[in-house]
Amino acid sequence: QVQLVESGGGLVQTGGSLRLSCTASGRTFSSLGWFRQAPAKEREFVAAIDWSGLSTYYGDSVKGRFTISRDNAKNTVYLQMNSLKPEDTAVYYCNTGYYTTRFVALGSWGQGTQVTVSS
């Protein structure tokens, strides 16, 4: 069983940047995805990356602004978020899974990390 811990969230102004981290313990993992959930909204896919780091996937709302990467030596996946907008405000979660036509999350959801973008 892999345990994932999200970190790096915070309060930032519109146009600012944040870098989120998802660190795994317990065992290595292959593909990993980031999701987010805003109040009263469904959980939304943000980005995913395969084990090699060569294949990445993004939700339409973050393409060109967010970048997912990983450091397998540190068992960590990063989400660099630039040009943040108020609509990016949400709790961000990471999860293991696989990508076919969409990312299918397989693990349990953790606490997430709150990102708040002020206008």
Side-chain angles (χ1 to χ4, degrees):
Q1 184 81 9
V2 59
Q3 289 82 41
L4 301 172
V5 177
E6 304 96 341
S7 62
L11 174 63
V12 64
Q13 292 186 333
T14 297
S17 299
L18 282 173
R19 189 178 79 158
L20 306 184
S21 298
C22 174
T23 301
S25 61
R27 64 175 176 85
T28 58
F29 58 94
S30 54
S31 298
L32 186 135
W34 281 98
F35 292 76
R36 66 187 183 187
Q37 188 166 21
K41 292 190 176 181
E42 292 188 354
R43 187 169 284 139
E44 174 190 16
F45 170 73
V46 175
I49 190 167
D50 72 348
W51 187 90
S52 70
L54 296 178
S55 294
T56 57
Y57 312 90
Y58 296 93
D60 289 341
S61 61
V62 307
K63 282 180 182 176
R65 299 188 298 123
F66 291 11
T67 303
I68 191 169
S69 62
R70 66 189 297 159
D71 184 341
N72 287 338
K74 297 181 178 179
N75 270 353
T76 300
V77 172
Y78 303 100
L79 185 68
Q80 178 66 43
M81 306 187 297
N82 298 329
S83 302
L84 284 163
K85 306 174 182 180
E87 50 263 45
D88 294 318
T89 295
V91 178
Y92 284 69
Y93 303 89
C94 59
N95 208 331
T96 57
Y98 61 92
Y99 195 97
T100 56
T101 57
R102 63 182 181 89
F103 191 83
V104 178
L106 296 177
S108 301
W109 297 103
Q111 301 271 355
T113 185
Q114 175 71 49
V115 172
T116 303
V117 184
S118 63
S119 56

